[in-house]
Amino acid sequence: MPSYTVTVATGSQWFAGTDDYVYITLVGTEGCSERTLLDKPLYNDFERGAIDSYDVKVGEHLGDIVLVKIEKKKYWMQDDWYCRYVTIKTPCGDYVEFPCFRWLVDDKEVVLRDGRAFLPQDDKTSIVKQHRQKELDQRRKTYRWKEWQPGFPLSIDANKHRDLPRDIQFDSEKGVDFILNYSKAIENLCVNSFMNMFQSSWSDFADFEKIFVRIKNTISEYVMEHWKEDFMFGYQFLNGCNPVLICKCTKLPDKFPVTNEMVSVSLERDLTLEQEIKAGNIFIADYDMLEGINANPTDPYTQQYLAAPMCLLYKNLRNKILPIAIQLGQDPDENPIFLPTDGQYDWLLAKIWVRSADFQHHQNVTHLLRTHLMTEVFGIAMFRQLPAVHPAFKLLIPHIRFTIAINTKAREQLICECGIFDKANATGGGGHIQLVQKAMKTLTFRSFCFPDMIKSRGMDSTEELPTYFYRDDGYKVWEATKSFVSDVIHIYYTSDERVQEDEEIQAFVKDVCSFGMQDFDHCEFPKSLKTRDELIEYLTVIIFTASSQHAAVNFGQLYLGMYPDEHFIEKPVKDAMGKFRKELAEITRSIKRRNEEKKLPYYNMSPDKIPNSVAV
């Protein structure tokens, strides 16, 4: 009587184990096993982190094992179980791997394909075709689109985190991690002691220093020492948390009437302002998106204010970017132009207003919209249109980890009515909604392609801007990511026709555009892909947005290139992952060497600091 050895791995996260009954059914090309209880006498099966093996005897050889059906039934109370994978050893001694990485909740069953990736056109038997379609049908019922706010990208249909499918909820460690990090932040900022500072006017700049009294590291101390200086103000446009707004100025806008007489004292090359513009030494940051956004009276009803400033910046002879003119509104008739030659505190306050506007743009547009909300769009479409056996699903799933969960938490607690934004942020009380809606009107697919985004702002020349480390490091990580994606795609797609024939990848792309982005014409998201190059770029955009771009404006946990859940089992893909990790390691070393002698090192795009996904 043939015997198959079944090995089952339980997750190592908290509460992953179960005391419920677990049954298995093996489905082969020549037959199907009986439904078999996996249980060893006097043994506690399926404990957290355990790897358990069982013998399943059958009446006759089953042929190639194509599906594994796992069922969980209640023992004495419902007990969720996280299954990592199942491995089958056949009577011939062959091993077949079946990745799972899913929670079995209540009396639930899962049916698993073996770990090899297949395109839909490569499935030839009715049993695997039906399994593939059934998985997608169920996913589309589970992962539904919903409009949270008009003009926003669509999000998941769930009002609270607990309403999400169990597979995409935070695990227990992640929940505790949030609490600990929040507590640590409170401790570092001494918020309990200084909360009143955020809700009333400060009387002295020394109050600002008190906020950071508990944060001690070389960079923070250097910033505290120099934060009032122009070079530090300019540096943040290149390598701060919002390095995506500064543009090369090719012509002064009429609404910002800076004259040569105003700024000549700040220019160092014996050139006029117009000549400096032609020489490529003038840059501009325009916060016009904040124009007309309603300011918020924060808790306890302290009126806040918003500016929509413009800032003219100059690259001096030492290649430092310095502010030379600031206008705090879009209408020149109502807003004077502030200059470095003005009074010390007039100029400092003008810079503070610009930095305040930059904070609002960063939090609402650069961070919330362009990383969090957009990654959620890609994630929902992925779950709805790509089965677990699809290579693109295996490629993307590590980069979607916890994104939908953190966004649902944000809608539940942070950006909702009476949430933290309303209580503590000048764009709360609806201003943040207006700002995202306004930003959506200019958002395009090409703006997510890192090289295009840099070039569109005229910031691509390393000779003109040798200290734009966000650009330099971003180029390297983009190319390494694109190379990795290309290696994987060429394993499964041997021609452009294979892309065109893949109905699932086409449905995925269409779902993003037609539902996630609501078919906004100005967004120019593709509705189909015709070539491998187009597919490679599209998937690179998703991975880069969810990992590297988010890292440049925020930080997280599992780092780029780390894939603890082995969704791919094929050796060529694992080789590509190894190559990717080596390239990332070399980029990390080069960034470390560059930073060694810098007073202000830039690590935000260092691969060893880049989280895999938008998870915080």
Side-chain angles (χ1 to χ4, degrees):
M1 180 177 287
S3 178
Y4 293 80
T5 301
V6 175
T7 301
V8 181
T10 297
S12 58
Q13 60 267 57
W14 293 353
F15 311 116
T18 186
D19 289 324
D20 284 353
Y21 298 113
V22 175
Y23 298 87
I24 194 167
T25 304
L26 308 181
V27 181
T29 55
E30 298 178 13
C32 182
S33 74
E34 297 289 335
R35 178 174 179 262
T36 304
L37 175 65
L38 299 181
D39 180 58
K40 288 186 279 190
L42 304 177
Y43 178 77
N44 201 351
D45 305 278
F46 311 115
E47 287 292 282
R48 172 190 172 197
I51 299 177
D52 302 313
S53 294
Y54 307 87
D55 290 328
V56 175
K57 298 186 183 300
V58 297
E60 58 184 3
H61 197 279
L62 303 178
D64 296 333
I65 305 298
V66 292
L67 298 176
V68 167
K69 180 179 179 181
I70 303 174
E71 301 172 75
K72 185 178 73 68
K73 298 296 182 181
K74 185 172 76 170
Y75 172 54
W76 63 283
M77 62 177 293
Q78 292 294 353
D79 191 13
D80 296 350
W81 175 48
Y82 187 84
C83 176
R84 297 193 71 241
Y85 61 83
V86 176
T87 301
I88 308 296
K89 181 182 178 183
T90 70
C92 301
D94 297 327
Y95 288 86
V96 187
E97 297 179 45
F98 293 82
C100 184
F101 306 111
R102 293 174 62 183
W103 287 93
L104 278 76
V105 180
D106 300 331
D107 288 345
K108 183 180 179 180
E109 67 178 46
V110 297
V111 181
L112 307 175
R113 287 275 298 268
D114 78 78
R116 294 172 297 170
F118 289 95
L119 300 180
Q121 58 263 44
D122 294 332
D123 279 345
K124 304 304 181 183
T125 64
S126 60
I127 189 170
V128 294
K129 288 181 179 179
Q130 290 171 6
H131 171 265
R132 194 173 193 127
Q133 188 59 50
K134 185 177 180 180
E135 180 184 3
L136 288 178
D137 290 344
Q138 183 58 50
R139 292 251 209 90
R140 288 165 188 155
K141 293 177 183 177
T142 304
Y143 296 87
R144 302 175 304 277
W145 294 108
K146 179 181 179 181
E147 183 180 67
W148 184 68
Q149 292 286 345
F152 269 50
L154 293 193
S155 54
I156 194 74
D157 185 6
N159 293 324
K160 297 181 181 297
H161 177 264
R162 64 171 178 264
D163 300 332
L164 293 172
R166 183 69 179 89
D167 287 328
I168 62 170
Q169 291 182 22
F170 289 137
D171 56 34
S172 299
E173 289 102 320
K174 184 66 177 177
V176 171
D177 183 51
F178 268 103
I179 294 172
L180 292 176
N181 284 341
Y182 179 77
S183 300
K184 186 66 175 177
I186 294 292
E187 178 186 353
N188 279 341
L189 292 175
C190 302
V191 169
N192 290 333
S193 300
F194 300 109
M195 182 61 78
N196 64 305
M197 292 183 182
F198 295 101
Q199 297 174 345
S200 60
S201 298
W202 292 358
S203 58
D204 193 283
F205 283 119
D207 290 341
F208 178 70
E209 298 175 6
K210 292 177 185 177
I211 296 297
F212 292 91
V213 69
R214 301 285 292 278
I215 299 177
K216 292 292 183 181
N217 61 58
T218 304
I219 296 177
S220 67
E221 291 174 359
Y222 185 84
V223 171
M224 279 306 306
E225 183 181 351
H226 298 284
W227 73 271
K228 299 177 186 177
E229 299 176 38
D230 286 353
F231 86 89
M232 178 62 71
F233 178 84
Y235 177 88
Q236 292 179 71
F237 284 101
L238 298 179
N239 302 308
C241 63
N242 195 33
V244 300
L245 201 66
I246 184 174
C247 300
K248 180 188 285 187
C249 181
T250 56
K251 182 180 182 299
L252 276 174
D254 293 338
K255 63 182 180 179
F256 196 15
V258 180
T259 65
N260 182 66
E261 289 72 21
M262 290 179 182
V263 299
S264 59
V265 68
S266 299
L267 308 180
E268 300 179 355
R269 294 180 176 85
D270 294 327
L271 300 175
T272 65
L273 176 59
E274 184 177 350
Q275 290 170 331
E276 292 280 17
I277 290 174
K278 289 181 180 178
N281 298 321
I282 302 296
F283 301 86
I284 190 170
D286 188 350
Y287 297 88
D288 59 334
M289 201 170 288
L290 285 161
E291 179 78 358
I293 302 298
N294 297 328
N296 175 43
T298 55
D299 190 27
Y301 310 109
T302 303
Q303 180 62 47
Q304 303 293 305
Y305 300 92
L306 291 170
M310 290 173 283
C311 180
L312 204 65
L313 300 130
Y314 174 63
K315 184 187 71 173
N316 71 6
L317 292 173
R318 293 172 294 167
N319 288 319
K320 292 186 181 298
I321 298 295
L322 304 175
I324 58 173
I326 292 172
Q327 183 175 296
L328 294 181
Q330 298 290 305
D331 185 349
D333 294 332
E334 297 181 3
N335 296 277
I337 294 175
F338 292 88
L339 305 168
T341 51
D342 290 339
Q344 175 186 354
Y345 292 113
D346 289 342
W347 179 238
L348 181 58
L349 284 170
K351 290 189 293 181
I352 289 174
W353 274 107
V354 173
R355 192 55 57 209
S356 173
D358 193 73
F359 169 81
Q360 303 300 341
H361 183 278
H362 162 257
Q363 283 296 328
N364 292 285
V365 180
T366 307
H367 186 200
L368 174 61
L369 171 60
R370 295 184 60 86
T371 62
H372 277 260
L373 300 184
M374 285 308 306
T375 302
E376 181 176 6
V377 167
F378 293 127
I380 297 170
M382 179 198 73
F383 282 116
R384 288 172 50 84
Q385 306 299 344
L386 299 178
V389 72
H390 198 288
F393 179 91
K394 293 173 180 282
L395 188 64
L396 294 178
I397 187 65
H399 305 285
I400 307 298
R401 185 173 182 262
F402 294 143
T403 300
I404 299 175
I406 187 62
N407 287 0
T408 304
K409 278 284 190 183
R411 288 186 288 269
E412 185 181 349
Q413 300 175 357
L414 181 66
I415 58 176
C416 58
E417 187 175 355
C418 300
I420 295 175
F421 251 57
D422 284 5
K423 295 179 180 179
N425 199 304
T427 51
H432 58 304
I433 305 298
Q434 292 177 299
L435 190 50
V436 171
Q437 290 168 333
K438 200 170 184 179
M440 275 292 291
K441 294 178 180 178
T442 58
L443 183 147
T444 65
F445 177 76
R446 298 310 313 173
S447 70
F448 289 93
C449 302
F450 189 80
D452 293 40
M453 180 267 287
I454 295 293
K455 189 171 183 177
S456 69
R457 294 186 288 113
M459 303 292 287
D460 50 315
S461 173
T462 55
E463 292 183 1
E464 291 183 359
L465 281 174
T467 59
Y468 195 13
F469 305 131
Y470 163 75
R471 173 203 59 206
D472 300 341
D473 299 350
Y475 275 156
K476 294 175 183 176
V477 177
W478 170 272
E479 288 303 322
T481 304
K482 188 176 181 181
S483 176
F484 167 57
V485 173
S486 178
D487 288 345
V488 174
I489 290 305
H490 279 84
I491 293 170
Y492 300 99
Y493 296 88
T494 54
S495 67
D496 291 341
E497 288 73 24
R498 297 270 289 167
V499 176
Q500 298 165 24
E501 294 165 358
D502 184 349
E503 58 188 24
E504 290 171 351
I505 205 72
Q506 300 298 338
F508 165 62
V509 171
K510 187 176 181 180
D511 212 21
V512 169
C513 179
S514 298
F515 287 91
M517 300 305 295
Q518 302 192 67
D519 256 338
F520 292 137
D521 291 336
H522 63 271
C523 290
E524 299 176 349
F525 273 64
K527 291 185 178 180
S528 64
L529 300 174
K530 294 182 172 58
T531 68
R532 286 177 292 180
D533 286 345
E534 290 177 355
L535 176 58
I536 289 164
E537 181 180 64
Y538 195 92
L539 298 177
T540 302
V541 162
I542 299 172
I543 295 173
F544 189 86
T545 299
S547 57
S548 308
Q549 182 60 29
H550 183 253
V553 298
N554 208 71
F555 282 99
Q557 288 85 24
L558 272 182
Y559 295 112
L560 191 60
M562 294 173 58
Y563 300 102
D565 293 347
E566 294 188 359
H567 292 273
F568 282 109
I569 66 168
E570 296 97 321
K571 186 178 185 301
V573 182
K574 291 186 176 183
D575 290 343
M577 288 179 178
K579 175 186 171 186
F580 185 35
R581 281 190 283 267
K582 287 180 180 178
E583 291 180 2
L584 294 177
E586 178 52 41
I587 295 171
T588 298
R589 287 191 290 270
S590 69
I591 291 173
K592 185 177 181 180
R593 287 194 295 269
R594 179 199 66 203
N595 285 335
E596 282 177 351
E597 296 182 0
K598 293 194 176 297
K599 294 178 180 179
L600 269 179
Y602 184 76
Y603 287 107
N604 290 13
M605 278 285 196
S606 182
D608 62 334
K609 308 291 186 184
I610 296 176
N612 251 344
S613 62
V614 177
V616 292

